[in-house]
Amino acid sequence: GNSVTQMEGPVTLSEEAFLTINCTYTATGYPSLFWYVQYPGEGLQLLLKATKADDKGSNKGFEATYRKETTSFHLEKGSVQVSDSAVYFCALSVSGSEKLVFGKGTKLTVNP
Amino acid sequence: GAGVSQTPSNKVTEKGKYVELRCDPISGHTALYWYRQSLGQGPEFLIYFQGTGAADDSGLPNDRFFAVRPEGSVSTLKIQRTERGDSAVYLCATTSREKNEQYFGPGTRLTVT
């Protein structure tokens, strides 16, 4: 079946530190990959996506590259800010099946 | 424009009662999804509508759960004989035909006592 595994949190960083949140997947077919973010008290928002191998999604300084050979879609940011504190979810959808399959989420706290 | 809205934002009910949760999609969005998010977990798929019909209801946990979308817009998730294990945040998401991106509502937090 289809599944997503992401690194367990919580992750605590100081402002301007480098961030990596690991995500690996198992999928039948060729998935599209997503990172969603949930800020405190807000709903889920799409952060970035990639639809095929070697694509790089980017938004708000965050990046993730679709690696088919390692079945990974790790989220990175070079310099985090306090405002990046949130829960981050990796997700996939498989062509022909519209539903999203999510990982368990990783809570990030950035301290000033 | 307005995003996906869900009502109520919070619902507390007693075990065994019936509840209805409502989702108002973004205008013009044809596809609508329901997910359930338990504490500390990622959202789990329940059901997907394309227009008025349920295209995939494979995530509904049992026959106490049912959802409708009679006019292809507003959807209602219905839970009969609620159990404490049904306590979770129920999320609705919609997407347009052109863009394969799901836009999520704020969710309804259901607590069964």
Side-chain angles (χ1 to χ4, degrees), chain A residues 5-100:
Chain A
T5 302
Q6 59 182 107
M7 65 184 285
E8 297 203 9
V11 174
T12 302
L13 295 173
S14 297
E15 207 165 21
E16 300 184 3
F18 183 85
L19 169 71
T20 300
I21 300 178
N22 290 337
C23 172
T24 57
Y25 66 89
T26 302
T28 55
Y30 300 96
S32 294
L33 301 174
F34 306 83
W35 277 100
Y36 279 82
V37 59
Q38 192 168 35
Y39 296 104
E42 298 185 18
L44 274 169
Q45 301 174 26
L46 178 65
L47 180 60
L48 52 84
K49 69 175 183 180
T51 58
K52 61 183 187 297
D54 299 325
D55 268 3
K56 178 185 283 187
S58 61
N59 186 25
K60 298 182 180 181
F62 291 88
E63 293 183 340
T65 301
Y66 188 140
R67 301 287 189 199
K68 188 178 177 182
E69 62 275 13
T70 55
T71 62
S72 65
F73 192 55
H74 304 321
L75 182 68
E76 296 183 335
K77 186 175 185 181
S79 176
V80 293
Q81 305 301 311
V82 172
S83 57
D84 294 326
S85 298
V87 181
Y88 292 82
F89 294 92
C90 186
L92 67 81
S93 68
V94 178
S95 178
S97 171
E98 307 298 332
K99 61 190 177 188
L100 288 167

Side-chain angles (χ1 to χ4, degrees), chain A residues 32 34 36 38 43-44 46 49 89 93 97-100 102-104, chain B residues 33 35 37 40-43 45 48 56 58 91 100-102 104-105:
Chain A
S32 294
F34 306 83
Y36 279 82
Q38 192 168 35
L44 274 169
L46 178 65
K49 69 175 183 180
F89 294 92
S93 68
S97 171
E98 307 298 332
K99 61 190 177 188
L100 288 167
F102 286 88
K104 291 186 176 183
Chain B
Y33 308 77
Y35 295 84
Q37 186 175 15
Q41 304 294 315
F45 170 78
Y48 154 56
D56 182 353
S58 62
L91 299 170
N100 185 24
E101 292 181 15
Q102 293 187 24
F104 282 81

Side-chain angles (χ1 to χ4, degrees), chain B residues 6 18 29 39 66 74-75 77-78 85 95:
Chain B
Q6 293 186 245
Y18 167 83
H29 279 196
L39 191 63
F66 190 70
V74 171
S75 177
L77 178 66
K78 308 180 180 192
T95 186

Side-chain angles (χ1 to χ4, degrees), chain B residues 94-106:
Chain B
T94 69
T95 186
S96 66
R97 191 179 295 276
E98 296 76 27
K99 291 185 72 175
N100 185 24
E101 292 181 15
Q102 293 187 24
Y103 294 85
F104 282 81

